[in-house]
Amino acid sequence: MRYQSQKVAYAYFICAMGLFAIQVLGGLTIGWIYVQPNFLAEVFPFHIIRMVHTNALVVWLLLGFFGATYFLVPEESEREIWSSKLAYLQLAILIVGTLGAVIGYGFKIHGGREFLEQPLWVRFGILIAAVIFLINVSMTVLAGRKTAITGVLLMGLWLLSLLWIFALINPSNLSLDKMYWWFVIHLWVEGTWELVMASILAFILLKLTGVDREIVEKWLYVIVATALFTGILGTGHHFYWIGTPGYWQWIGSIFGALEIIPFFLMMSFAFVMVWKGRRNHPNKAALLWSLGSATIAFFGAGVWGVLHNMHGVNYYSHGTQITAAHGHLAFYGAYVAINLAIITYAMPILRNREPYNQVLNMASFWMMTGGMAFMTFTLTFAGTIQTHMQRVLGYYYMEVQDELALFYLMRWISGIFVVLGALLFIYSIFVVRRHEVIEAGPANPAPTVSDPLPGE
């Protein structure tokens, strides 16, 4: 670790992993409620557990992004973080807000808007934390070296924070409300978050492969341009059925279909960088997560998104289990995996050790990815049947749900593997074995504890 202020990232990663565990356990509970609808109905109703599941997902991903930023910005800027105290204050505000929101949900205090259920004071607290973060990181970057990675990262984080303002506005007009809602939800996950993901991926691959920075930056600029070009107007594929003008069906269909391009470029970028790489970095687990993130994001956010965002298809598939399949694989590939990649890369450095527990770490990757892939296929088949029975043949909603019981059971079983993989990952990151299961051989020498990692 070259800069002492990078230790801030460690606190963010710990909190993120705690919420990660809560999120996947909540998802497993929800999956079982689909199988046994009355499970916990009197204690924790389905909609409350779902709020915890989705909100924990968003918050822990944001904590991962913030931690990644505090880790990589000092190295890219070649200076300490402007204020470590502000970084810890920001973390405290976010944790207090998260706990306040969860407690409020238990007492049925929430806003009712999916993903934005937080009480108004919590949303204001998030905005304050975002302002603190932006000032802290921007001052660090402005006073140090400027790179394409920090430039793209800051662009994504600034836009992300500015879009959060729409979460504070709740107009009485339902169509306008939905447009503002999608400004946050879509332009986060299919716009600004893509910029954050691309910059983190570029940083990791730069460190792991040793490819010239100039090559990495050229790829990064192309990815950013296509992400913004397709993502902003691609928001239109959510405007089809909310009372907006008909021209959004054309805009949403065309630009929604083009949204696969930046994810294809990110996948190509990752593999080309590894192919061109000149460095045999000992952290193979971080490389696996990086390549896995880019690949799964292409299929989850790209391919599964294009499958049903054309207005003629979406007319039938909207709101079915096909949407759930797309959402689960896209979030896992694009944002969960990239956070786990930077955590896998950063934690040995933050703890002043050589890469550890790599076999267990990589086993967690295959366990989670396999479980999520099976879940995606299960939900896709369930959604296809649901679309035909409900939207074409005209069966009642609950009649169709009864016919999907087997798919929900298979989805829950796949969720068990995702949870086990997540817990194994957390163990592999925080519990250091005395000896590795497989030690590095002479062709891949690992540095001693006192030596810096290659590229650091």
Side-chain angles (χ1 to χ4, degrees), residues 237 252-261 306 309-310:
H237 68 240
S253 295
I254 294 170
F255 286 91
L258 294 176
E259 284 187 69
I260 195 173
I261 296 175
V306 170
N309 65 16
M310 296 286 186

Side-chain angles (χ1 to χ4, degrees), residues 160-197:
L160 182 158
S161 301
L162 291 172
L163 287 168
W164 180 251
I165 294 173
F166 288 101
L168 305 175
I169 305 171
N170 193 358
S172 58
N173 183 285
L174 185 59
S175 295
L176 192 60
D177 170 66
K178 278 298 181 181
M179 286 195 73
Y180 287 174
W181 188 84
W182 282 117
F183 286 172
V184 180
I185 303 304
H186 175 96
L187 288 177
W188 265 21
V189 300
E190 295 175 77
T192 59
W193 283 24
E194 285 185 42
L195 273 59
V196 176
M197 175 193 176

Side-chain angles (χ1 to χ4, degrees), residues 186 189-190 194 234 237-238 240 252-261 263 296-311 313-314 317-318 321-331 376 380:
H186 175 96
V189 300
E190 295 175 77
E194 285 185 42
H237 68 240
H238 299 296
Y240 296 154
S253 295
I254 294 170
F255 286 91
L258 294 176
E259 284 187 69
I260 195 173
I261 296 175
F263 288 104
I296 302 164
F298 167 70
F299 285 100
V303 176
W304 256 257
V306 170
L307 281 177
H308 75 127
N309 65 16
M310 296 286 186
H311 72 272
V313 177
N314 191 264
S317 66
H318 180 78
Q321 294 301 322
I322 294 176
T323 304
H326 162 58
H328 279 81
L329 193 63
F331 264 102
T376 301
T380 302

Side-chain angles (χ1 to χ4, degrees), residues 385-402:
I385 294 172
Q386 180 185 7
T387 299
H388 183 69
M389 292 185 67
Q390 187 176 321
R391 304 284 168 78
V392 178
L393 299 181
Y395 283 79
Y396 290 112
Y397 175 83
M398 292 308 300
E399 287 182 302
V400 177
Q401 293 303 301
D402 289 338

Side-chain angles (χ1 to χ4, degrees), residues 136-441:
N136 205 0
V137 175
S138 298
M139 292 299 290
T140 306
V141 173
L142 290 173
R145 182 181 65 159
K146 283 77 173 175
T147 68
I149 291 175
T150 54
V152 171
L153 182 62
L154 274 181
M155 181 191 296
L157 293 169
W158 269 97
L159 291 174
L160 182 158
S161 301
L162 291 172
L163 287 168
W164 180 251
I165 294 173
F166 288 101
L168 305 175
I169 305 171
N170 193 358
S172 58
N173 183 285
L174 185 59
S175 295
L176 192 60
D177 170 66
K178 278 298 181 181
M179 286 195 73
Y180 287 174
W181 188 84
W182 282 117
F183 286 172
V184 180
I185 303 304
H186 175 96
L187 288 177
W188 265 21
V189 300
E190 295 175 77
T192 59
W193 283 24
E194 285 185 42
L195 273 59
V196 176
M197 175 193 176
S199 57
I200 295 174
L201 181 64
F203 174 80
I204 297 175
L205 293 176
L206 186 67
K207 296 296 184 180
L208 294 180
T209 66
V211 172
D212 291 339
R213 180 178 290 271
E214 182 181 355
I215 297 175
V216 172
E217 291 180 346
K218 287 179 179 177
W219 275 89
L220 189 57
Y221 285 134
V222 174
I223 291 170
V224 169
T226 55
L228 292 176
F229 175 72
T230 61
I232 293 174
L233 289 176
T235 311
H237 68 240
H238 299 296
F239 295 168
Y240 296 154
W241 325 117
I242 65 172
T244 49
Y247 55 74
W248 280 111
Q249 295 192 3
W250 286 101
I251 296 174
S253 295
I254 294 170
F255 286 91
L258 294 176
E259 284 187 69
I260 195 173
I261 296 175
F263 288 104
F264 176 76
L265 289 174
M266 267 192 273
M267 181 179 65
S268 303
F269 164 63
F271 282 93
V272 169
M273 292 305 101
V274 174
W275 174 61
K276 288 180 174 289
R278 301 170 300 176
R279 179 179 297 151
N280 193 13
H281 199 286
N283 200 330
K284 307 302 181 189
L287 185 62
L288 176 63
W289 278 106
S290 301
L291 292 174
S293 173
T295 303
I296 302 164
F298 167 70
F299 285 100
V303 176
W304 256 257
V306 170
L307 281 177
H308 75 127
N309 65 16
M310 296 286 186
H311 72 272
V313 177
N314 191 264
Y315 179 79
Y316 295 95
S317 66
H318 180 78
T320 67
Q321 294 301 322
I322 294 176
T323 304
H326 162 58
H328 279 81
L329 193 63
F331 264 102
Y332 173 72
Y335 306 120
V336 171
I338 197 63
N339 266 315
L340 300 186
I342 188 64
I343 291 172
T344 299
Y345 173 76
M347 287 299 284
I349 300 171
L350 292 171
R351 300 182 70 170
N352 194 28
R353 293 186 58 94
E354 62 188 45
Y356 50 85
N357 282 358
Q358 292 203 67
V359 172
L360 294 180
N361 191 309
M362 290 188 281
S364 73
F365 168 83
W366 291 112
M367 192 176 294
M368 272 190 277
T369 303
M372 190 58 68
F374 187 78
M375 183 185 300
T376 301
F377 290 130
T378 299
L379 291 174
T380 302
F381 288 129
T384 303
I385 294 172
Q386 180 185 7
T387 299
H388 183 69
M389 292 185 67
Q390 187 176 321
R391 304 284 168 78
V392 178
L393 299 181
Y395 283 79
Y396 290 112
Y397 175 83
M398 292 308 300
E399 287 182 302
V400 177
Q401 293 303 301
D402 289 338
E403 298 299 323
L404 301 179
L406 177 61
F407 292 98
Y408 291 149
L409 178 60
M410 290 191 291
R411 189 259 299 271
W412 181 75
I413 293 172
S414 65
I416 293 176
F417 285 91
V418 174
V419 171
L420 291 176
L423 297 178
L424 181 60
F425 177 88
I426 295 171
Y427 174 86
S428 72
I429 286 296
F430 291 107
V431 181
V432 182
R433 297 169 61 92
R434 182 170 298 178
H435 298 289
E436 278 292 301
V437 176
I438 299 177
E439 295 186 4

Side-chain angles (χ1 to χ4, degrees), residues 26-68:
L28 188 64
T29 305
I30 293 172
W32 183 247
I33 292 176
Y34 269 90
V35 179
Q36 293 291 332
N38 292 323
F39 180 67
L40 294 179
E42 299 298 326
V43 182
F44 291 107
F46 174 85
H47 69 286
I48 298 297
I49 303 177
R50 188 174 187 274
M51 285 182 197
V52 174
H53 174 59
T54 55
N55 281 234
L57 169 67
V58 173
V59 174
W60 93 253
L61 290 178
L62 289 175
L63 289 176
F65 290 158
F66 294 150

